[in-house]
């Protein structure tokens, strides 16, 4: 019986790959959890598109300030060295290629790194895009973290996305509850896979063709902070 | 003498015309000029086009403008938030027009409006549904969309402190769209926590120079 | 014997027309002198394209700060309520139509308000444009102050400028040492003229056709501060 | 750990390559990174393209770079100042290339470079000699020129205070081109009067967030 990673374990796995000294924007959902698992030894500067650089953790009770929130509208704090700026400047950072990395959730990713994470085909829901497109095209590297398949078991890693795109050819690496997969010029390369799976098992849950890295390793379940990097 | 202070919220929005395009600052709960929004509802404004990042949630400010039937169209990046019930109801009923703009493009289009530019080329949204109908151009091997400026007849903004020349400072992430919107409207109206004496704001730390501001009204530490 | 206005008298005449509460950019040369003659009762906010709003007069001896200069590179001061910003924002103010008024020097002005004030035909001098073009197209109103003719007596108000243009159709009013002239849709209209001159005398020194305002008045020589307005 | 402090000026510019495009802050005497300019001369840089508002005056900083023969081309708005003798001499001798750009367009082109835009339409210089060869477009009845971004390989900037994350404040009108240039280069090197502890700069008053800065070197109250 295989054990997919929990959301926390996925976040912890992504956290291993956040480099010391990097400027990072974390999307809403699992991406936001990533910060919890980045080792304290690494100094990472978190950016929020609503005009904050150097975000710290959630405030202690009694220290909440409704004027200090992140892009997910959660209350946050500011680290010493952090600063504020207006929205247009926040997007200069994003669109201008100044962020080292963004971690985003996704509905679908294609084998060429197309990203679909802003709109499903539900006609009753009004569309909402926020800053997703700016992040997708602007950050130097784009990591996606998501479940490997939908709740119904449909693959989310596809030859071609069926949902409307956020950006084309933008994703560098995909972290799922089953594997870590690089988007390369030669297609999707599996770097890590959970115990009990072989490439065929993973391929069954994946629409786009996969191949195995020469140094394929085990995707481990852990939520403790890990100083090693999978990059 | 220059004195941009206005005594009441009612006075501040008294001449906002029906059919106007209104830029409204704020992201989530931070930086929304709640009191000005409600003054506008009290005035009975109709047929407005709102340019604002979210489409309101709950029953106050932007949501209240929607609920009160003041709004014909909304230009925003993220209308679907927790509690955006009034927008969703109007949207499903086909009673409101939506122009969805990626957040960075929304902000940059208003900046262009304030800066006197005729338009700009952005890579954002290239190859997506939101590029539909837009002119594209390849520049140095990359695809860009041509985007045009947005200007408002009025900007409603929440800031932290002001002086009688209209210089503004903001509070933390409540700064968000305020400084850009202030530049992009014919009439910029600002609610602030506190009005201070001329010279009290550090000239190195004024975020919106008064040249972009027409009226300031003190509301204290409002809701 | 007619008496053309001195540079100071020209500046004082322009100063009469600077409205209370206006945002004004003064160009280099005679325009800079204008501030000296604006009545203290009027609160005028002076803009400088190098990032200053609310400029005050020259510093007292001992209070000079080399970091606080105007566009002419002269040492200035900052009034209470003044502030600093970066160059790009300074030009947002200019290009974006936020300045009420600019006063500029000129080599030539055409009857349709074309302005030439950045380049002569001297091939040995490298061209230099600075912020002149942004001011010319951006300010809500453009006043030009200049001698009526060149030192050689050649007219500077022309049917068509012969020097390279700074902007087309931008000038609203011309202040010379002989007259105050409005640029209107119906051509150049003389509002004020110095004593001893009639329209023919002025026309002789002017290439573009002039006509007289119905309420033509005397251009007076004074340098004391004057609260009346010629607007 | 992030530590952008560099001990010496020599170290700060050690890897600036010949043939680079260098953005240099400053307007008149205010905001010119004099010490960094001289460090670059000491390194013996050649074939540089400078992007800077003026073309130097007297014998220091930008003028010294010209005098030392480091510069192939200069992109600026106002090369002719009192005392710009080195530029004028090279210009008359045909030994330097000049690209003259209106000041606001110069600043805006660098902003576009830092903001990831492909270009923009500006009304400035429409109908003038400086529109020659530029694509024009009528937008809402007004003529605009298409202008393309400027980026530098390196930006040399003078600021007032910095911390080890590279956050910057400036002094009065010496701010000028610094904040925009910092966004528009692959490598942004800043000389400051003083480096302070992390957290000492007011987060509301940081003018250049550290994300735009690669190196800071403390020079004290320099020339």
């Amino acid at each position: 019986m295989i054990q997919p990673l929990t959301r926390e374990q996925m976040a912890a796995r992504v956290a291993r790959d956040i480099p010391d000294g990097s400027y990072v924007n974390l999307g809403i959902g699992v991406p936001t959890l990533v910060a919890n698992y980045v080792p304290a030894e690494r100094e990472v500067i978190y950016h929020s598109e609503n005009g904050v650089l150097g975000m710290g953790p959630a405030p202690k009770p009694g220290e909440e300030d409704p004027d200090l929130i992140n892009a997910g509208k959660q209350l946050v704090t500011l680290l010493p060295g952090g600063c504020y700026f207006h929205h247009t400047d926040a997007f200069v950072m994003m669109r201008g290629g100044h962020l080292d990395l963004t971690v985003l959730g996704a509905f679908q990713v294609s084998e060429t790194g197309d990203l679909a994470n802003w709109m499903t085909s539900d006609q009753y829901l009004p569309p909402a895009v926020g800053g997703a497109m700016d992040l997708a095209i602007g950050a130097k590297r784009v990591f996606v973290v998501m479940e490997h398949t939908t709740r119904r078991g449909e693959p989310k890693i596809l030859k071609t996305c069926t949902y409307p795109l956020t950006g084309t050819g933008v994703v560098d690496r995909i972290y799922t509850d089953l594997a870590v997969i690089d988007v390369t010029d030669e297609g999707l390369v599996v770097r890590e896979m959970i115990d009990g799976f072989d490439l065929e098992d993973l391929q069954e849950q994946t629409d786009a063709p996969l191949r195995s890295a020469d140094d394929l390793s085990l995707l481990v379940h852990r939520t403790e902070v890990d100083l090693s990097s999978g990059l | 003498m220059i004195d941009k202070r206005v005594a009441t919220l009612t006075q501040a929005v008294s001449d906002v015309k029906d059919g106007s395009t209104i830029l409204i600052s704020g992201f989530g709960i931070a930086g929304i000029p709640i009191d000005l929004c409600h003054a506008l509802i009290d005035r009975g404004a109709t047929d407005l086009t709102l340019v604002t990042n979210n489409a309101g949630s709950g029953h106050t400010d932007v949501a209240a403008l929607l609920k009160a039937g003041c709004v014909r169209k909304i230009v925003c990046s993220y209308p679907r938030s927790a509690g955006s019930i009034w927008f969703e109801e109007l949207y499903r009923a086909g009673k409101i027009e939506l122009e969805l703009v990626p957040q960075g493009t929304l902000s940059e289009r208003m900046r262009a409006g304030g800066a006197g530019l005729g338009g700009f080329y952005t890579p954002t949204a290239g190859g997506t549904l939101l590029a539909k109908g837009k002119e594209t151009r390849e520049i140095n091997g990359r695809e860009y969309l041509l985007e045009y400026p947005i200007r408002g007849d009025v900007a409603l903004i929440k800031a932290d402190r002001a002086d009688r020349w209209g210089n503004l400072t903001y509070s933390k992430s409540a700064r968000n769209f305020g400084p850009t919107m202030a530049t992009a409207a014919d009439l910029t109206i600002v609610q602030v926590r506190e009005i201070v004496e001329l010279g009290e704001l550090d000239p190195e730390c004024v975020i919106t120079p008064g040249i972009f501001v027409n009226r300031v009204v003190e509301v204290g530490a409002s809701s």
Side-chain angles (χ1 to χ4, degrees), chain A, chain B:
Chain A
M1 176 69 180
I2 64 116
Q3 282 241 308
L5 267 59
T6 62
R7 287 160 51 94
E8 284 72 21
Q9 288 165 341
M10 288 162 68
R13 176 60 195 85
V14 176
R16 277 174 58 197
D17 296 348
I18 308 287
D20 185 29
S22 55
Y23 290 90
V24 177
N25 183 300
L26 300 176
I28 297 171
V30 177
T32 301
L33 301 177
V34 169
N36 300 338
Y37 302 103
V38 173
E41 291 81 354
R42 291 189 202 159
E43 199 168 44
V44 175
I45 301 188
Y46 296 104
H47 169 273
S48 188
E49 54 257 48
N50 55 327
V52 190
L53 200 59
M55 271 194 304
K60 291 177 194 140
E63 292 176 11
E64 299 90 350
D65 184 336
D67 284 341
L68 183 42
I69 59 175
N70 65 15
K73 281 92 175 178
Q74 297 167 305
L75 294 167
V76 293
T77 52
L78 191 76
L79 299 178
C83 64
Y84 306 110
F85 35 89
H86 62 57
H87 236 86
T88 308
D89 279 350
F91 281 81
V92 165
M93 295 176 193
M94 293 156 77
R95 195 194 312 104
H98 302 281
L99 293 174
D100 295 304
L101 180 61
T102 185
V103 183
L104 297 171
F107 299 136
Q108 298 178 333
V109 177
S110 84
E111 62 177 333
T112 56
D114 291 354
L115 170 68
N117 77 344
W118 72 282
M119 195 185 180
T120 62
S121 43
D122 184 342
Q123 297 297 321
Y124 286 94
L125 281 176
V129 63
M133 289 185 177
D134 303 275
L135 270 173
I137 60 99
K140 283 181 196 137
R141 305 183 72 202
V142 176
F143 288 174
V144 160
V145 55
M146 63 178 188
E147 269 78 36
H148 204 90
T149 60
T150 68
R151 282 176 212 174
R152 295 182 187 169
E154 293 152 348
K156 299 175 70 172
I157 302 174
L158 307 170
K159 285 198 194 74
T160 307
C161 295
T162 59
Y163 286 160
L165 296 184
T166 308
T168 58
V170 295
V171 177
D172 295 291
R173 181 172 262 202
I174 310 166
Y175 298 83
T176 77
D177 50 347
L178 302 177
V180 176
I181 299 170
D182 277 344
V183 181
T184 77
D185 291 343
E186 288 80 40
L188 300 176
V189 176
V190 183
R191 295 275 168 213
E192 296 178 20
M193 206 161 41
I194 59 163
D195 196 21
F197 248 41
D198 62 19
L199 194 67
E200 268 176 59
D201 298 324
L202 191 67
Q203 185 66 69
E204 252 174 47
Q205 310 210 22
T206 312
D207 178 56
L210 301 173
R211 61 189 185 80
S212 174
D214 295 339
D215 58 346
L216 176 71
S217 57
L218 208 61
L219 175 56
V220 291
H221 300 66
R222 65 172 129 200
T223 50
E224 66 274 31
V225 169
D226 184 350
L227 283 172
S228 67
S229 167
L231 282 179
Chain B
M1 173 160 142
I2 298 173
D3 192 353
K4 300 183 178 177
R5 293 171 296 184
V6 172
T8 68
L9 290 157
T10 308
Q11 243 178 291
V13 302
S14 58
D15 53 356
V16 174
K17 291 190 183 61
D18 292 341
S20 292
T21 295
I22 319 265
L23 318 180
I24 302 181
S25 67
F27 179 93
I29 48 170
I32 295 186
I34 300 181
D35 305 272
L36 288 171
C37 287
H38 286 277
L40 203 54
I41 295 169
D42 294 344
R43 213 195 63 53
T46 62
D47 199 30
L48 302 179
T49 295
L50 303 188
V51 184
T52 185
N53 189 62
N54 305 111
S57 66
H59 302 276
T60 58
D61 52 82
V62 174
L65 280 159
L66 295 170
K67 181 181 171 183
C70 306
V71 183
R72 188 181 64 75
K73 178 180 174 181
I74 190 159
V75 182
C76 73
S77 88
Y78 210 85
R80 200 178 64 230
S81 332
S84 56
I85 46 171
W86 286 105
F87 174 75
E88 287 179 39
E89 184 163 317
L90 291 168
Y91 181 79
R92 283 203 200 91
K95 285 184 178 164
I96 192 162
E97 196 182 330
L98 169 67
E99 180 181 345
L100 192 75
V101 183
Q103 203 169 127
T105 302
L106 184 66
S107 203
E108 190 70 23
R109 286 177 63 188
M110 289 188 280
R111 181 189 178 273
L117 301 176
F120 58 90
Y121 288 100
T122 179
T124 302
T128 79
L129 207 59
L130 296 185
K132 218 172 109 181
K134 293 196 188 286
E135 191 176 319
T136 61
R137 184 181 184 116
E138 198 179 299
I139 301 171
N140 285 330
R142 193 174 189 188
E143 188 186 274
Y144 292 85
L145 308 185
L146 174 57
E147 295 282 357
Y148 292 101
I150 294 178
R151 281 189 62 86
D153 298 301
V154 178
L156 301 182
I157 288 167
K158 179 181 175 181
D160 190 49
R161 301 206 299 166
D163 59 28
R164 69 172 168 85
W165 281 11
N167 292 307
L168 306 178
T169 64
Y170 298 82
S171 169
K172 303 186 177 73
S173 71
R175 186 184 301 188
N176 57 65
F177 288 91
T180 302
M181 288 179 168
T183 69
D186 294 339
L187 176 66
T188 293
I189 308 172
V190 185
Q191 69 171 72
V192 297
R193 184 177 56 80
E194 188 187 10
I195 295 178
V196 301
E197 287 301 309
L198 209 60
E200 269 193 61
L201 300 177
D202 180 347
E204 298 282 5
C205 304
V206 166
I207 302 301
T208 292
I211 191 171
F212 298 124
V213 172
N214 300 95
R215 297 175 192 165
V216 294
V217 54
E218 189 179 74
V219 298
S222 82
S223 35

